[in-house]
Amino acid sequence: MPDLYLDGRPLSVVPGTTVAAALALGGDGSARTSVSGQRRAPLCGMGICQECRVTVDGLRRLACQTLCRDGMQVETRP
Ligand code: FES
């Protein structure tokens, strides 16, 4: 079971879980904050809309295209 950190909170998920699914399981489902201050969440689930951008271990990634790994640090806030 991958154990990751979502905005500093520990979260365990089953193998094969995407970061987008982890956002829904361990948080409010949102991935980032827009320039106007609105929280944004995954929409298409297939790498097109870019709404699911998160920071994973210091790098910007698409949550819907990224599988959870043990020890991963996922940040949704700047
Ligand atoms: S949900 Fe659209 S790119 Fe990830």
Side-chain angles (χ1 to χ4, degrees), residues 3-5 19 56-57 66-74:
D3 295 318
L4 60 139
Y5 294 90
V19 173
V56 175
D57 296 333
T66 305
L67 294 178
C68 294
R69 296 185 320 272
D70 213 26
M72 176 183 266
Q73 302 273 345
V74 179

Side-chain angles (χ1 to χ4, degrees), residues 1-13 19 22-23 26-27 54-58 68-77:
M1 299 265 285
D3 295 318
L4 60 139
Y5 294 90
L6 178 56
D7 290 327
R9 299 183 315 274
L11 176 67
S12 293
V13 296
V19 173
L23 295 174
V54 292
T55 302
V56 175
D57 296 333
C68 294
R69 296 185 320 272
D70 213 26
M72 176 183 266
Q73 302 273 345
V74 179
E75 304 292 334
T76 69
R77 302 193 183 265

Side-chain angles (χ1 to χ4, degrees), residues 42-52 62 64:
L43 179 64
C44 71
M46 57 185 186
I48 303 297
C49 74
Q50 310 283 305
E51 292 288 2
C52 65
L62 294 178
C64 71

